[in-house]
């Protein structure tokens, strides 16, 4: 009896695997409820006036929402994961590079995030950190192993809990600084430029957002994919930034779990930190496993166990030594999504629709896509402007130009061959 791959690791999501708006909202909100966003919110809250903070959040989340919405539409329309979509723009083997970068980065961040949860639990309860790391890693692997259904159940529980506890903590913080009026007056002058603030807002999740098709592909319609993604980024991201900013202003601590512990909400602080990391980390290891499944053709569930075991066992090593490397890899992820967006919406739309995915043949490696990612990665490190936006814009433009140059050279080659043959016949 043939085993059905309910994760659709190497095929489009079938009709029976598609989900409605409630389920997709839960998944996407769980994905965007991210501890790193709250930490960034704490930094922004103590560095910007209230007016500048609002402007940075609205513009930054608009940019993030637009980027992820385009990727969500692609996933919802085709039913394909990020890694299968990459075959169109990067080629069959070129997509392995995309999957390798995404997979390694996500496995690394999984391990780092496990330690971020284990250390405060160990400190608060006086438990040795190693068994806490193993227990936390195992729990997160379990939900990723059972796929989207398990991710949905966890998110349905975690998202309201995080929102309620975060709001309660924020209300205590607001009372401590004199309500909304006190918060508006807490920072009289911005010590951070708006450009830097936008870089932090957009950069906080644009790498993770590149993996949006891995989850949006389960949407029943492209409209559901886009609406659930945009709503999640505006509701989820802004809530996370707000919790971090309000708590940071009131206590000087950017981490909401530390804020809640300082407020006497020790158990609540651990719960909100745990659920926050869990809902993002199971998505992380799920996406990493899809990446390696694309390369090896092994089932996603097998890779969840492998990746989860490796990143949990070496979690402390990753935490202590590889954050700089992971940050560098993350900086070249946005150009990967930008190339795919350019290929789908501008250059090559018909290729996605004229044949079923199983009937498609792909180039081995599409050089313009690889070159565009390199160009985008370099542009992302230019000091001027917003790094991740520079990277996305440069990779999209350069990919379009390089594809046109390639097509022009191909046309010239096609016309040159008959001309040479005619001259030889004449001779």
């Amino acid at each position: 009896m043939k085993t059905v791959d309910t994760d659709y690791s190497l095929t489009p999501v079938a009709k029976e695997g598609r989900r409605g708006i409630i389920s997709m909202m839960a998944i996407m909100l769980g994905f965007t409820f991210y501890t790193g966003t709250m930490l960034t919110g704490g930094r922004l809250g103590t560095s910007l006036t209230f007016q500048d903070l609002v402007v940075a959040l609205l513009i930054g989340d608009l940019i993030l929402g637009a980027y992820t919405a385009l990727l969500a539409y692609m996933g919802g329309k085709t039913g394909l994961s990020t890694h299968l979509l990459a075959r169109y723009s990067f080629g069959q083997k070129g997509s392995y590079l995309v999957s390798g970068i995404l997979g390694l980065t996500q496995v690394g961040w999984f391990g780092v995030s496990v330690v971020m949860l284990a250390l405060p639990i160990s400190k608060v309860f006086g438990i040795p950190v190693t068994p806490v790391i193993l227990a936390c890693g195992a729990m997160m692997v379990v939900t990723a192993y059972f796929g989207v259904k398990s991710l949905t159940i966890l998110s349905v529980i975690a998202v309201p809990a995080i929102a309620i506890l975060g709001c309660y903590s924020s209300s205590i913080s607001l009372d401590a600084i004199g309500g909304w009026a006190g918060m508006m007056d807490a920072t009289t002058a911005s010590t951070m430029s708006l450009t830097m603030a936008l870089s932090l807002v957009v950069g906080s999740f644009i790498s993770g957002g590149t993996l949006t098709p891995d989850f949006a592909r389960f949407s029943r319609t492209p409209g559901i994919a886009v609406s659930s993604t945009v709503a999640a980024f505006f509701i989820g991201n802004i809530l996370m930034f707000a919790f971090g900013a309000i708590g940071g202003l009131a206590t000087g601590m950017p981490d909401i779990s530390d804020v809640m512990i300082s407020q006497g909400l020790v158990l609540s602080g651990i719960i909100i930190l745990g659920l926050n990391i869990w809902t993002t980390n199971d998505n992380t290891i799920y996406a990493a496993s899809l990446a390696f499944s694309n390369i090896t053709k092994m089932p996603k569930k097998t890779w969840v166990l492998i990746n989860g075991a490796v990143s949990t066992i070496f979690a402390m090593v990753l935490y202590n030594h590889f954050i700089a490397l992971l940050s560098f890899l993350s900086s070249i992820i946005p150009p990967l999504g930008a190339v795919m967006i350019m290929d789908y919406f501008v250059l090559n739309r018909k290729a996605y629709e004229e044949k079923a995915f199983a009937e498609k043949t792909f180039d081995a490696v599409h050089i313009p896509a690889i070159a565009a990612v390199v160009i985008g990665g370099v542009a992302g490190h230019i000091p001027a402007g917003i790094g991740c936006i520079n990277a996305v814009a440069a990779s999209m433009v350069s990919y379009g130009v390089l594809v046109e140059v390639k097509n022009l050279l191909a046309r010239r080659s096609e016309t040159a061959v008959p001309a040479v043959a005619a001259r030889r016949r004449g001779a």
Side-chain angles (χ1 to χ4, degrees):
M1 186 176 180
K2 187 177 180 180
T3 303
V4 177
D5 178 15
T6 55
D7 293 302
Y8 303 97
S9 309
L10 300 171
T11 60
V13 177
K15 186 176 181 180
E16 59 269 21
R18 300 295 187 114
R19 295 170 171 266
I21 186 68
I22 302 298
S23 177
M24 293 309 303
M25 277 289 292
I27 292 171
M28 296 311 297
L29 278 169
F31 187 37
T32 56
F33 274 28
Y34 172 50
T35 299
T37 306
M38 288 194 291
L39 293 171
T40 304
R43 182 178 172 187
L44 293 173
T46 55
S47 304
L48 298 172
T49 64
F50 180 77
Q51 291 79 6
D52 286 348
L53 176 64
V54 170
V55 170
L57 292 184
L58 289 178
I59 295 176
D61 278 318
L62 180 64
I63 294 169
L64 266 178
Y67 176 77
T68 54
L70 291 172
L71 290 167
Y73 181 90
M74 293 167 63
K77 181 69 173 178
T78 63
L80 298 173
S81 68
T82 309
H83 317 284
L84 300 185
L85 283 168
R87 294 186 186 183
Y88 288 89
S89 48
F90 287 86
Q92 178 84 31
K93 294 185 178 179
S95 73
Y96 299 168
L97 174 65
V98 176
S99 295
I101 293 171
L102 291 171
L104 287 172
T105 306
Q106 299 311 303
V107 167
W109 282 120
F110 180 91
V112 169
S113 298
V114 167
V115 176
M116 288 172 62
L117 173 59
L119 286 177
I121 292 176
S122 174
K123 181 179 178 181
V124 169
F125 296 105
I127 306 171
V129 72
T130 299
V132 179
I133 289 174
L134 295 175
C136 292
M139 289 190 300
M140 295 171 190
V141 167
V142 167
T143 49
Y145 180 85
F146 289 106
V148 170
K149 184 178 291 187
S150 185
L151 300 183
T152 306
I153 293 171
L154 174 63
S155 295
V156 166
I157 297 169
V159 166
I162 294 170
I164 291 168
L165 290 173
C167 287
Y168 181 58
S169 173
S170 294
S171 68
I172 296 175
S173 296
L174 281 171
D175 287 342
I177 58 175
W180 287 103
M183 193 181 84
M184 291 181 189
D185 296 334
T187 305
T188 56
S190 294
T191 57
M192 178 187 293
S193 69
L194 185 58
T195 299
M196 175 58 74
L198 285 172
S199 295
L200 290 174
V201 173
V202 178
S204 67
F205 213 83
I206 194 168
S207 292
T210 303
L211 294 163
T212 296
D214 288 353
F215 311 104
R217 66 196 174 110
F218 286 94
S219 301
R220 195 165 291 144
T221 66
I224 289 174
V226 172
S227 58
S228 61
T229 298
V230 172
F233 271 90
F234 270 90
I235 296 172
N237 244 30
I238 288 179
L239 267 180
M240 294 301 100
F241 279 122
F243 292 160
I246 294 170
L249 280 172
T251 65
M253 294 181 286
D255 190 333
I256 193 172
S257 61
D258 289 338
V259 170
M260 295 179 82
I261 290 170
S262 73
Q263 294 169 337
L265 307 172
V266 177
L267 183 59
S268 297
I270 295 297
I271 289 173
I272 195 171
L273 177 66
L275 290 176
N276 217 315
I277 290 177
W278 193 351
T279 55
T280 300
N281 240 19
D282 58 359
N283 284 276
T284 294
I285 207 70
Y286 178 91
S289 301
L290 286 177
F292 291 116
S293 181
N294 177 50
I295 297 172
T296 65
K297 309 303 181 285
M298 289 167 55
K300 181 230 81 179
K301 288 185 175 181
T302 302
W303 274 110
V304 166
L305 297 176
I306 295 171
N307 290 332
V310 169
S311 55
T312 300
I313 291 169
F314 294 100
M316 191 59 78
V317 176
L318 290 166
Y319 185 81
N320 289 331
H321 298 287
F322 293 129
I323 289 182
L325 174 60
L326 293 171
S327 297
F328 170 75
L329 289 174
S330 295
S331 71
I332 62 174
I333 289 177
L336 301 177
V339 166
M340 288 189 280
I341 288 170
M342 188 69 174
D343 191 74
Y344 182 86
F345 287 101
V346 180
L347 299 175
N348 202 26
R349 182 68 171 269
K350 287 184 180 179
Y352 295 78
E353 301 172 351
E354 61 189 5
K355 286 184 181 179
F357 180 77
E359 300 171 0
K360 279 288 296 179
T361 56
F362 300 97
D363 294 340
V365 178
H366 194 211
I367 298 300
I370 307 295
V373 169
V374 174
I375 293 169
V378 172
H381 289 85
I382 295 173
I386 302 171
C388 49
I389 301 301
N390 292 344
V392 167
S395 54
M396 290 180 75
V397 172
S398 60
Y399 180 59
V401 171
L402 291 170
V403 167
E404 286 303 311
V405 170
K406 178 188 173 185
N407 292 339
L408 177 62
L409 292 175
R411 287 193 296 269
R412 286 186 176 179
S413 177
E414 289 171 2
T415 56
V417 170
V420 170
R423 285 197 297 271
R424 285 177 178 173
R425 287 196 298 271

